[in-house]
Amino acid sequence: MENALPSSSVSSTLEPVLALLAYSLTKLETGFYQIPGSAVVARYVKSSHQNDPGRTILEVILIIFAIRTLLQSRTRSDRGGKHYIQFGDKEVDELVDEWTPEPLAQPLTEWEQKELASIPVIAGPNGPKPKLVSTGKTVTNLASYNFTGLAGNEHIKERAVDTLRKYGLGSCGPPGFYGTIDVHMDLEKDIAEFLGAEAAILYSQGYSTVSSVIPAFCKRGDIIVADRGVNYAIQKGIQLSRSTVRWFDHNDLRSLEDALQAVERDRKKRKGPLTRRFIITEGIFERDGEMVDLPKIIELKNKYKYRLILDESISFGTVGRTGRGLTELYNVPASQIDMLVGSVANGLCSSGGFCAGSTIVVEHQRINGTSFVFSASMPALLAVSGSEAITYLRNTPSTLSALQENIRALRAVLEKTEGIAILGHRASPIVHFSLRSVAPASLSPASAATPAGKESFDVDGEERILQEIVEDALANGVMLTRAKYLRKQEMFEPRPTIRIAMTSALTRKEVEKAAGVVKASIARVLSRRR
């Protein structure tokens, strides 16, 4: 066409515009990188786009929507209020009187009310022989986690009182701000030296310890291979991590190895990158008292290049010659475990929890462990109590021997009891037993595929029978408890059990007598059901 401009003329016309655009983009980039923290943002955007381009598009849309929402006037359609309904004072009062608020929670069922009313109330301090408010009688306590009998220890009590007078009660701040004092650092050092680890970090709540440790290291795209029988706190930590999860059958190391091999096969098939990978399990499982084969777990994690997160909330302070847990029992160096999580509340009769490991692992949690960052640190008197408890365990190994002797005495009586099945490892300080009338299916592969609330056993029926046993035993001077779970919230529903927590504070004769009471209660309740 005669009027068409030659391409060279168009290029010369756009050249200044393109040059100005390039100059502007260069200035914007230079100015952006002068902003503090801009490099972190840029690195995040690049890695996010590389791993998941769709996520980048979604985030851009969300940013645009947020800016639009902030700039938009919420009342622009009716600035004058012409269409608002006007009420008089009398009408307002009538509407308020007629309004009935929705209940904050569903009303308790008859069974829940009965269960709540049956909870015993103790007068005075807790211990191996507490006194009940309802009857004034002293009972044998087989319900509390007082494994080494340190609850009520007079020396620890005196040290706690002295610390209370020196430091006051609360810390009034998270550890990373002004909540850390010398006694917290002393307890961290004592735990690390006790376990033979490089360092340890202290958390103020036992439950939130492992649920903070897991998401501090496991992120989206990482691989977690976990036991089906882990406790609820671990389940929440796994959920918060948003990692890809593979479950293996409860305490089945053959199933674990199969899962590890399946993860590697999937990676090679997809030709995906080598991501961070973790094995998560418990030392002694809180749900049933089973004990993991620690040397074999370490062998598998080294073979398949995984990191190990081991929760020793029950085994720490209860097994091993001096209570150091599975590392002492199996003679395994603590350095072989990447993140060793334990409970200061259970094993040391204080409060909170800890994570021991390398210095890098510990320091990473000081800025990434959510509970450590956002929760107030534990009171100083409880930190001192924990340190004193460690000293006691070091100097009094006979306490652990007495605990194991009592466990054997208890199991010897219960194993002769008809109608129940004893669960767990023979060295576990918590002894679970379930009814034998229904085939066990709690943590098996079949139950894993069963939706919550669709178990093959009668949960409500068995819980009612077990509660009758608990109440009968309490009436005869022994305090027990059913294992409590958040039904329909657990990933894998466990079978109802009664959980007995053994303590070294009782003599062998007292344990045998209490076990005899439990045996008689079981026989009475089951005979009425026949």
Side-chain angles (χ1 to χ4, degrees):
M1 298 177 63
E2 295 180 0
N3 295 331
L5 294 174
S7 58
S8 59
S9 178
V10 174
S11 300
S12 60
T13 304
L14 294 177
E15 187 175 348
V17 178
L18 296 175
L20 178 62
L21 182 61
Y23 174 77
S24 301
L25 291 174
T26 303
K27 293 291 290 183
L28 284 173
E29 183 180 5
T30 304
F32 172 76
Y33 280 107
Q34 290 177 349
I35 301 174
S38 57
V40 177
V41 175
R43 188 165 61 250
Y44 168 77
V45 172
K46 290 179 180 178
S47 62
S48 174
H49 181 76
Q50 180 181 2
N51 296 332
D52 189 359
R55 180 180 171 187
T56 304
I57 298 173
L58 178 60
E59 290 181 346
V60 171
I61 294 173
L62 290 175
I63 292 172
I64 295 172
F65 178 75
I67 295 173
R68 178 182 177 276
T69 303
L70 291 173
L71 297 178
Q72 182 181 7
S73 175
R74 297 184 179 181
T75 58
R76 72 181 188 278
S77 59
D78 189 12
R79 295 181 183 275
K82 295 179 181 179
H83 300 289
Y84 291 169
I85 300 175
Q86 300 296 328
F87 291 102
D89 293 341
K90 183 179 179 180
E91 292 173 311
V92 171
D93 292 338
E94 289 176 352
L95 289 172
V96 170
D97 293 337
E98 293 174 359
W99 179 67
T100 302
E102 292 288 335
L104 294 177
Q106 294 295 325
L108 296 177
T109 63
E110 182 180 353
W111 160 248
E112 290 171 336
Q113 291 175 354
K114 180 181 178 182
E115 183 182 14
L116 187 62
S118 67
I119 297 176
V121 180
I122 293 173
N126 193 10
K129 295 278 189 175
K131 182 182 291 186
L132 298 181
V133 171
S134 57
T135 62
K137 295 181 179 180
T138 299
V139 296
T140 301
N141 186 357
L142 297 182
S144 301
Y145 282 0
N146 182 25
F147 302 126
T148 49
L150 294 175
N153 181 282
E154 290 300 325
H155 174 70
I156 295 178
K157 189 186 299 183
E158 291 174 5
R159 292 285 290 114
V161 171
D162 293 341
T163 307
L164 177 63
R165 289 173 175 160
K166 179 178 179 180
Y167 293 98
L169 181 58
S171 58
C172 302
F177 290 90
Y178 45 83
T180 297
I181 53 181
D182 55 351
V183 293
H184 295 124
M185 300 172 69
D186 290 342
L187 179 55
E188 290 180 344
K189 182 181 177 182
D190 291 340
I191 291 172
E193 291 179 350
F194 186 60
L195 292 173
E198 287 186 15
I201 183 172
L202 198 62
Y203 290 84
S204 53
Q205 295 92 24
Y207 173 86
S208 61
T209 301
V210 72
S211 59
S212 296
V213 171
I214 293 172
F217 295 97
C218 309
K219 305 297 182 183
R220 186 192 297 273
D222 294 340
I223 302 294
I224 291 177
V225 180
D227 191 296
R228 295 181 190 274
V230 292
N231 60 54
Y232 190 68
I234 294 179
Q235 294 176 30
K236 289 288 104 179
I238 292 174
Q239 184 179 357
L240 290 171
S241 72
R242 299 181 295 177
S243 301
T244 302
V245 186
R246 290 290 189 95
W247 299 97
F248 65 93
D249 296 342
H250 179 45
N251 206 23
D252 186 341
L253 298 186
R254 177 65 63 85
S255 176
L256 169 59
E257 186 164 17
D258 291 343
L260 300 179
Q261 291 173 351
V263 169
E264 185 62 19
R265 284 196 303 269
D266 290 347
R267 186 188 70 83
K268 291 180 178 178
K269 183 178 179 180
R270 294 183 290 104
K271 298 181 179 179
L274 187 63
T275 59
R276 292 176 297 189
R277 303 183 291 186
F278 301 85
I279 297 173
I280 301 179
T281 187
E282 294 182 71
I284 292 179
F285 291 87
E286 187 176 13
R287 286 183 166 196
D288 59 5
E290 289 288 346
M291 183 185 294
V292 75
D293 186 345
L294 184 59
K296 181 63 175 177
I297 287 275
I298 292 176
E299 178 186 336
L300 291 176
K301 77 110 176 176
N302 290 333
K303 178 180 179 181
Y304 293 97
K305 305 298 186 293
Y306 275 70
R307 293 180 175 92
L308 175 61
I309 300 178
L310 180 67
D311 186 357
E312 288 213 68
S313 294
I314 301 297
S315 52
F316 174 75
T318 62
V319 297
R321 192 183 72 85
T322 57
R324 288 174 168 85
L326 263 61
T327 54
E328 184 176 40
L329 182 68
Y330 287 106
N331 195 26
V332 173
S335 59
Q336 293 290 315
I337 302 170
D338 301 279
M339 299 96 183
L340 196 160
V341 181
S343 173
V344 182
N346 294 345
L348 304 180
C349 289
S350 180
S351 176
F354 66 87
C355 178
S358 66
T359 303
I360 295 175
V361 165
V362 168
E363 294 304 316
H364 176 78
Q365 294 175 68
R366 297 195 189 279
I367 56 174
N368 288 279
T370 51
S371 179
F372 184 87
V373 172
F374 297 109
S375 297
S377 55
M378 71 168 62
L381 65 95
L382 294 177
V384 171
S385 299
S387 293
E388 291 296 328
I390 289 176
T391 302
Y392 177 85
L393 293 178
R394 277 175 168 165
N395 299 333
T396 320
S398 59
T399 300
L400 280 302
S401 301
L403 174 61
Q404 290 300 319
E405 183 179 348
N406 287 348
I407 294 170
R408 289 191 291 271
L410 173 71
R411 295 182 71 98
V413 175
L414 293 183
E415 285 171 354
K416 300 175 183 178
T417 306
E418 295 182 359
I420 63 171
I422 311 299
L423 309 178
H425 193 275
R426 303 190 69 84
S428 170
I430 53 174
V431 180
H432 289 254
F433 67 83
S434 62
L435 300 178
R436 195 187 288 275
S437 56
V438 182
S442 58
L443 297 172
S444 62
S447 68
T450 304
K454 302 292 185 181
E455 302 87 348
S456 58
F457 46 83
D458 182 6
V459 173
D460 293 337
E462 292 193 20
E463 285 189 341
R464 281 174 167 77
I465 296 174
L466 294 176
Q467 184 61 33
E468 288 183 29
I469 295 173
V470 169
E471 293 172 4
D472 188 275
L474 183 64
N476 289 277
V478 177
M479 186 164 62
L480 304 175
T481 181
R482 288 187 296 107
K484 305 296 180 66
Y485 305 104
L486 294 172
R487 295 293 178 185
K488 297 186 172 60
Q489 295 188 39
E490 302 270 354
M491 291 184 180
F492 305 104
E493 293 283 353
R495 185 173 180 185
T497 62
I498 284 179
R499 187 202 68 213
I500 296 177
M502 188 41 61
T503 175
S504 63
L506 298 173
T507 65
R508 182 184 178 89
K509 289 185 178 180
E510 289 174 329
V511 171
E512 290 175 342
K513 181 180 178 181
V517 171
V518 176
K519 180 179 180 180
S521 296
I522 295 170
R524 276 192 296 270
V525 172
L526 294 184
S527 65
R528 292 197 298 264
R529 291 278 175 173
R530 293 192 181 100

